[in-house]
Amino acid sequence: MNKKFLLFLLVITIAILYLFSVEKLISKNLNTLNSSIKSNYINVLVLMNESVNKYFNQLDYIEQLKNENIRNLQYKLLYEKKSKELQEINKNIDIHIEPKLIYKKVRVLSYFKFNDHSKVILDKKIKENKISALITYDGFSAGIVVNKNNKSIAYLNQHKRCNYTVFIGETNTPGITSGIQNDGNIIVKYVPIWKDVKIDDEVITSSMDSIFPYGVKVGKVIDIIIHENTKNVIVSPYADTLGNRDYYLYSKKIEDNNTSN
């Protein structure tokens, strides 16, 4: 074997070894590249999935906020409506109460007679020989209360013996209540014929009888009947006493053992 042939074999061997080393290096680099591509691909998929979920979650949250805004608007409208109603009620119960007046809650126990809805028995006793005032929870005159056989008997506005003094209109025209008509409107008698009374004049208690405090609202004038020397005024009452069981009792001197605000 000559030297040239040996040299040729050596060169071939070196070349083959070099080629295998390069192939391994390329293969290694390719694997590294593939791993990097796979990793980036997975990261992109995860990011896209998170973005989509976040988008839909935001849509759900926006929808939830819209629904809450609608509910809040409904509550706001309801609140404004109830506030206006409360203002109207407060306006209607604007009673001019004198200082140091004493009120207490009373409840109807029963009718005095089953066939008479205008006369009821109350659960609180009042002083004998004393007439007290009965006022509804919304601040309107409802009748008078007397002690009869050690029972508190209330004559409601519709009873003919429910008599208390009133003032009519801005001129404070005097009169006395005297039961109701068949249509449920209060009759105010003994109104001076020379005094000017108009339809829609408001009627309030005058306190001239020492029964009611001044200014408790009774109703509004709906008709005027002229007689020879006086006139009767027909009043549409504010108080609805038919079937009502809860009232305030007012008296200037309620016995201490029966007093409760």
Side-chain angles (χ1 to χ4, degrees):
M1 187 176 295
N2 56 29
K3 293 182 178 180
K4 290 184 179 181
F5 182 74
L6 291 174
L7 182 61
F8 175 76
L9 288 176
L10 181 61
V11 170
I12 291 298
T13 302
I14 293 172
I16 290 171
L17 292 175
Y18 176 77
L19 287 176
F20 275 109
S21 297
V22 171
E23 183 181 1
K24 288 181 180 179
L25 179 62
I26 293 173
S27 177
K28 182 178 179 182
N29 289 334
L30 284 176
N31 289 333
T32 302
L33 181 62
N34 287 337
S35 297
S36 178
I37 292 174
K38 289 179 181 179
S39 177
N40 290 333
Y41 174 74
I42 292 172
N43 289 335
V44 169
L45 284 180
V46 170
L47 182 62
M48 289 179 63
N49 186 56
E50 289 179 350
S51 299
V52 170
N53 289 336
K54 184 177 180 181
Y55 173 75
F56 283 109
N57 289 336
Q58 287 177 341
L59 287 181
D60 291 339
Y61 184 64
I62 292 172
E63 186 66 23
Q64 181 181 350
L65 289 178
K66 287 182 179 179
N67 293 333
E68 288 180 359
N69 286 335
I70 293 173
R71 285 196 298 270
N72 289 336
L73 179 60
Q74 291 174 341
Y75 290 143
K76 181 176 181 292
L77 294 175
L78 182 62
Y79 171 79
E80 291 176 350
K81 178 182 176 182
K82 293 302 179 182
S83 294
K84 289 181 180 179
E85 291 177 357
L86 181 60
Q87 289 175 1
E88 289 298 319
I89 291 174
N90 288 335
K91 189 185 299 182
N92 288 334
I93 62 174
D94 183 19
I95 308 173
H96 302 282
I97 299 179
E98 299 173 2
K100 298 181 181 179
L101 296 186
I102 300 174
Y103 291 83
K104 63 179 179 180
K105 292 181 179 180
V106 293
R107 188 172 177 82
V108 174
L109 295 177
S110 67
Y111 295 121
F112 188 79
K113 292 182 180 179
F114 291 152
N115 60 347
D116 185 0
H117 299 161
S118 66
K119 191 175 178 182
V120 295
I121 302 174
L122 303 180
D123 64 347
K124 297 286 194 310
K125 293 180 182 179
I126 66 169
K127 189 176 180 180
E128 293 183 11
N129 302 320
K130 180 68 179 178
I131 302 176
S132 298
L134 198 65
I135 302 174
T136 63
Y137 276 7
D138 46 4
F140 303 132
S141 65
I144 62 173
V145 182
V146 299
N147 186 309
K148 187 174 183 180
N149 297 326
N150 206 28
K151 293 181 181 180
S152 293
I153 308 300
Y155 295 93
L156 303 178
N157 280 333
Q158 56 263 45
H159 198 284
K160 63 182 180 180
R161 291 184 61 184
C162 180
N163 309 128
Y164 53 90
T165 61
V166 297
F167 282 152
I168 305 168
E170 295 180 356
T171 59
N172 284 346
T173 299
I176 300 175
T177 63
S178 184
I180 64 170
Q181 294 182 315
N182 292 333
D183 56 7
N185 293 315
I186 296 175
I187 305 170
V188 177
K189 293 185 176 180
Y190 310 111
V191 179
I193 197 168
W194 64 89
K195 294 289 287 185
D196 185 28
V197 176
K198 302 185 295 296
I199 301 298
D200 287 334
D201 274 352
E202 191 162 60
V203 180
I204 61 174
T205 58
S206 69
S207 78
M208 302 298 289
D209 49 18
S210 296
I211 299 174
F212 278 90
Y214 171 78
V216 179
K217 294 183 178 183
V218 179
K220 283 192 175 182
V221 175
I222 61 171
D223 195 11
I224 302 167
I225 302 171
I226 306 296
H227 295 292
E228 185 176 353
N229 297 316
T230 63
K231 42 187 174 181
N232 289 351
V233 174
I234 308 303
V235 177
S236 175
Y238 291 140
D240 183 10
T241 59
L242 188 62
N244 189 22
R245 300 198 65 182
D246 298 296
Y247 296 94
Y248 286 121
L249 182 69
Y250 162 77
S251 179
K252 287 186 177 179
K253 292 182 181 179
I254 298 178
E255 293 178 326
D256 290 340
N257 59 351
N258 286 330
T259 300
S260 63
N261 291 330

